[in-house]
Amino acid sequence: MFCGECGAKLKKNARFCGECGAKVPEEAEQKEEKTEKVIRKTEKKPMSTGKKVLIIVILLLIVGGIIGYNVMASKLGPEGVAKSYIEALKSNNAGEIYDSLGLDGDTTFVSKEMFQAIFDSDENNLSNITNYVISDVSYSDGNLAATVKFEVTRKDSSEEETISVNVVKKSDKKFLIFDEWEVTKDSVSVLGVDLVENYQVRVPKNAKVSINDIELDQKYLNSEYSDEEEDVYVIPQIFEMSASIKTTLENGLELTSEEEISSYDVAYTADVSLENLSEDTVSLLQEQMTNDINKMYENIIAKKNWDAVKDSYNYDGADLKDLQEEYNSLYERVVTNATNTLTKFNVTELTVSRVRLNDDGQLEVTAKFNYDYTISYESNDQTQTKEDDSSNTTTIVYDYVNDSYKMIDISGTVKYFSRY
């Protein structure tokens, strides 16, 4: 700063000029102080090491976040999901393969345990892949679905083949920011396993039915398809597989069937036939028929009429008029009007040949049986006896009451015994 009178340079904070003694104006002093303050404010201090490190860390986090986002987006996207599926196939890992399918809804009959069983029974034809590369990705349905094609090579083969994996975008986002894709249900066919949708099981009214020991409960019962004679169950989704279907009717009859569930035949009907009876059920029926026939002839040999035996056949609600008619006919022919006296009758072997339900829902069982018999007769004023054996076919109608079979009708009884 300089003196306004003589122009000499003034000393800092001087009130008077050192040359001429003139007083330095107060405004000049304030202007000088302000100038010095501005100069001091504009002076930059060197950045500390801590701040430099913090800035570097922030930059690294930003770069890492961008890289991590891209990696996660790629992993959850169509190509990443399809690659994971192919890798699971290649590693022969049933659990990972199942998880990658993203099966939702009712999974009772498409469970991981069922998939594992199918996987164990069939050889994974993709476990011999040695190399694979994505050859094409195409989008459809407004970019909500995609098909990822792979060119793969296998062991002991130089030729490439194309495998397609279909994926679909999920409605929800992963961690609220990432689009997530999943392998569609139809991609399970890459393994030679398919899903069957809305599989129907038709059984007689009020029957209980199970598939591979899993009982179908009421949630599968379709009232629209069912009627007065038949219940129809509809399973939303089930694997194509060999399945054991067991049906237990109201009359106690157990039907078993080994079925190939497939998309070519999306319904099963419980057929009341001999072929569908379990061995235990057939044995039970054969024993029941043998006992019923022998008991009837035991009463005939004892000359017991219908009134004497009807209580042994009776039960609440029983309609025994047909059985009564047949018994009376047998009694008349073998006891009342016979020229021979039946003294012994025994079924030695019985084989069920036919089983059906009649219009009243009762069980009709037809069987061929062998029997021994002994008769006595008078000849030349002497009592003669004859023992013989023969065979016959009979049909018995059963009602099922209190966990047991009750005979309500019989046809094909043996009414003639030859002495010759």
Side-chain angles (χ1 to χ4, degrees), residues 98-124:
Y98 180 85
D99 291 339
S100 66
L101 296 176
L103 296 172
D104 53 10
D106 188 322
T107 59
T108 303
F109 294 95
V110 290
S111 65
K112 182 178 287 190
E113 291 75 19
M114 283 191 171
F115 183 81
Q116 182 73 58
I118 298 171
F119 188 85
D120 291 340
S121 63
D122 290 329
E123 182 180 353
N124 177 7

Side-chain angles (χ1 to χ4, degrees), residues 13 18 21 56 60 97 143 175 185 210 217 284 310 342 350 360 378:
N13 298 325
I56 293 173
L60 289 176
I97 296 171
N143 290 334
F175 305 125
K185 296 177 182 178
S210 64
D217 57 33
L284 186 151
K310 65 180 181 181
L342 182 65
L350 183 144
D360 295 324
E378 297 296 326

Side-chain angles (χ1 to χ4, degrees), residues 21-212:
K23 185 176 181 179
V24 177
E26 186 175 343
E27 292 180 0
E29 292 181 10
Q30 293 177 353
K31 184 177 181 180
E32 182 180 9
E33 289 178 1
K34 288 181 180 180
T35 302
E36 290 180 355
K37 288 181 180 179
V38 170
I39 293 174
R40 285 197 300 271
K41 284 183 180 181
T42 57
E43 289 180 355
K44 293 183 178 180
K45 294 183 179 180
M47 185 180 297
S48 67
T49 302
K51 288 184 178 180
K52 290 180 180 179
V53 172
L54 180 61
I55 291 174
I56 293 173
V57 170
I58 292 173
L59 291 174
L60 289 176
L61 288 175
I62 293 173
V63 172
I66 295 173
I67 295 174
Y69 177 88
N70 291 333
V71 170
M72 183 63 73
S74 176
K75 182 178 180 180
L76 299 176
E79 295 184 24
V81 170
K83 279 183 177 180
S84 297
Y85 181 59
I86 293 294
E87 191 61 36
L89 295 175
K90 184 173 178 289
S91 63
N92 207 40
N93 190 317
E96 289 184 7
I97 296 171
Y98 180 85
D99 291 339
S100 66
L101 296 176
L103 296 172
D104 53 10
D106 188 322
T107 59
T108 303
F109 294 95
V110 290
S111 65
K112 182 178 287 190
E113 291 75 19
M114 283 191 171
F115 183 81
Q116 182 73 58
I118 298 171
F119 188 85
D120 291 340
S121 63
D122 290 329
E123 182 180 353
N124 177 7
N125 61 1
L126 293 178
S127 60
N128 61 351
I129 292 177
T130 57
N131 189 38
Y132 61 88
V133 61
I134 293 177
S135 60
D136 181 64
V137 180
S138 58
Y139 291 85
S140 59
D141 194 19
N143 290 334
L144 296 177
T147 298
V148 183
K149 292 184 177 180
F150 293 85
E151 297 297 328
V152 303
T153 55
R154 302 174 180 268
K155 295 177 182 177
D156 304 324
S157 176
S158 58
E159 296 183 1
E160 290 186 344
E161 64 178 283
T162 301
I163 293 176
S164 297
V165 177
N166 297 321
V167 294
V168 65
K169 184 186 289 187
K170 289 185 175 182
S171 57
D172 298 330
K173 289 183 178 291
K174 188 79 167 180
F175 305 125
L176 303 179
I177 57 174
F178 296 104
D179 287 332
E180 187 175 9
W181 294 67
E182 64 182 356
V183 177
T184 59
K185 296 177 182 178
D186 57 0
S187 288
V188 72
S189 61
V190 171
L191 272 175
V193 180
D194 285 315
L195 287 175
V196 179
E197 295 184 342
N198 298 321
Y199 186 74
Q200 296 184 15
V201 179
R202 299 176 175 271
V203 298
K205 200 68 179 178
N206 299 323
K208 294 181 179 180
V209 60
S210 64
I211 298 179
N212 287 346

Side-chain angles (χ1 to χ4, degrees), residues 212-228:
N212 287 346
D213 296 326
I214 301 176
E215 184 172 337
L216 296 183
D217 57 33
Q218 293 299 303
K219 71 179 179 180
Y220 298 112
L221 186 61
N222 188 298
S223 58
E224 181 180 350
Y225 296 161
S226 303
D227 54 33
E228 293 181 355

